[in-house]
């Protein structure tokens, strides 16, 4: 793995789009692109963590010019190889601090990507960076999970989320620091084990609202998902929209 790619080098990029997670289904992708296009205001969009173009490409096909920021050259190379990949501009860098200039009516982060920023300071700086690049009236959309701490009994810090005959996957939480990690254990055909761990920082909806306020943005919408289902106390994720005042 090229260290410049962080945790998403070529071994991950090569199979990233093969995921069977519902986020990668055609229905979810089109619903996501439709939600974002409806809030683009006819302007340009900035995707933070553009990756292999799972959302950027269908959004671009809807007539929304997209500029992406990503740390992984391997992931963005996969996007470039796809039909229409050359129409998405890409800047390689840390999306918490990388600025590509203003003129965006929409910025967005999908599929828990805000948690790839593993400190509160980095998450706050991300909101500030986005706000500085949004036009007045522009919107910042974030899709992220609600922390699943209710599944942790006293003394336990891990929650499994996938178990199969040749592998296990689990999340580990530290409630004192909001640090977490997703861990994957895979047993190969020769009986050897392989472990991969990706660090995150989980974040609460109210905490994100405060970060937005510090950046001069205000909450305008919050839904459970891209289909605009109501957000409730039982929701396991949310799609939130903050707006930059027009004045």
């Amino acid at each position: 793995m090229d260290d410049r790619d962080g945790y998403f080098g070529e071994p991950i990029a090569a199979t990233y789009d093969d995921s069977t997670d519902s986020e990668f289904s055609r229905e979810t992708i089109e619903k996501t692109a439709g939600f974002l296009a409806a809030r683009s205001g006819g302007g340009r969009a900035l995707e933070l963590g553009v990756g292999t173009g799972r959302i950027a490409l269908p959004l671009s096909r809807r007539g929304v010019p997209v500029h992406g920021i990503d740390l992984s050259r391997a992931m963005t190379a996969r996007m470039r190889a796809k039909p229409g990949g050359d129409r998405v501009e890409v800047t390689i860098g840390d999306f918490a601090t990388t600025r590509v200039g203003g003129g965006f009516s929409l910025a967005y982060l999908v599929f828990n990507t805000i948690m790839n920023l593993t400190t509160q300071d980095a998450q706050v700086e991300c909101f500030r960076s986005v706000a500085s690049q949004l036009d007045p009236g522009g919107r910042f959309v974030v899709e992220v999970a609600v922390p699943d701490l209710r599944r942790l009994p006293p003394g336990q810090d891990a929650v499994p989320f996938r178990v199969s005959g040749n592998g296990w996957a689990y999340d580990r939480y530290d409630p004192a620091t909001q640090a977490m990690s997703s861990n994957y254990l895979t047993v190969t055909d020769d009986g050897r084990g392989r472990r991969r761990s990706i660090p995150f920082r989980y974040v609460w909806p109210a905490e994100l609202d405060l970060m937005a306020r510090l950046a001069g943005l205000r909450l305008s919408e919050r839904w459970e998902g891209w289909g605009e289902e109501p957000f409730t106390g039982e929701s396991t994720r949310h799609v939130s929209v903050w707006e930059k005042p027009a004045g």
Side-chain angles (χ1 to χ4, degrees):
M1 181 187 297
D2 188 332
D3 288 341
R4 296 174 300 175
D5 289 320
Y7 291 89
F8 297 91
E10 180 55 31
I12 302 302
T15 60
Y16 185 79
D17 290 325
D18 298 335
S19 174
T20 58
D21 191 281
S22 62
E23 294 287 333
F24 292 78
S25 71
R26 181 177 297 276
E27 178 184 3
T28 299
I29 289 172
E30 290 304 317
K31 191 178 292 184
T32 303
F35 182 101
L36 294 171
R39 288 152 180 84
S40 67
R44 300 165 63 219
L46 178 66
E47 179 170 357
L48 310 183
V50 68
T52 61
R54 179 176 62 92
I55 301 304
L57 293 180
L59 184 58
S60 176
R61 288 194 292 269
R62 290 173 179 259
V64 180
V66 181
H67 191 121
I69 300 176
D70 206 290
L71 196 62
S72 173
R73 291 165 172 80
M75 295 283 276
T76 57
R78 293 278 167 174
M79 178 180 66
R80 288 282 185 233
K82 296 177 181 179
D86 59 336
R87 294 199 299 269
V88 177
E89 297 182 71
V90 175
T91 298
I92 299 297
D94 180 349
F95 64 74
T97 56
T98 300
R99 288 171 167 81
V100 299
F104 294 99
S105 61
L106 174 72
Y108 62 95
L109 274 166
V110 300
F111 202 26
N112 299 327
T113 304
I114 187 68
M115 297 198 306
N116 286 118
L117 302 176
T118 56
T119 68
Q120 186 182 69
D121 284 345
Q123 291 170 346
V124 168
E125 185 57 35
C126 176
F127 272 79
R128 287 176 173 159
S129 178
V130 165
S132 73
Q133 298 177 86
L134 283 177
D135 290 335
R139 298 177 176 92
F140 185 27
V141 181
V142 173
E143 175 198 21
V144 65
V146 175
D148 203 12
L149 299 189
R150 288 193 297 179
R151 296 180 61 188
L152 284 177
Q156 181 176 317
D157 66 356
V159 176
F161 61 86
R162 186 181 307 142
V163 177
S164 67
N166 65 345
W168 307 266
Y170 60 94
D171 288 330
R172 293 193 67 182
Y173 295 87
D174 182 352
T177 64
Q178 293 182 214
M180 65 172 290
S181 63
S182 290
N183 303 273
Y184 304 85
L185 299 174
T186 304
V187 179
T188 59
D189 292 339
D190 61 3
R192 296 176 180 237
R194 184 174 67 242
R195 178 178 180 271
R196 179 167 62 95
S197 182
I198 303 176
F200 299 102
R201 180 186 185 271
Y202 68 80
V203 60
W204 300 97
E207 187 180 6
L208 290 170
D209 290 341
L210 183 55
M211 292 179 187
R213 288 183 61 187
L214 291 172
L217 307 177
R218 61 190 180 200
L219 182 69
S220 60
E221 302 176 61
R222 174 161 289 142
W223 306 99
E224 182 175 280
W226 299 110
E228 301 185 19
E229 303 86 355
F231 178 76
T232 72
E234 298 301 315
S235 297
T236 59
R237 63 171 181 155
H238 61 100
V239 174
S240 296
V241 183
W242 296 273
E243 187 173 339
K244 184 173 182 175

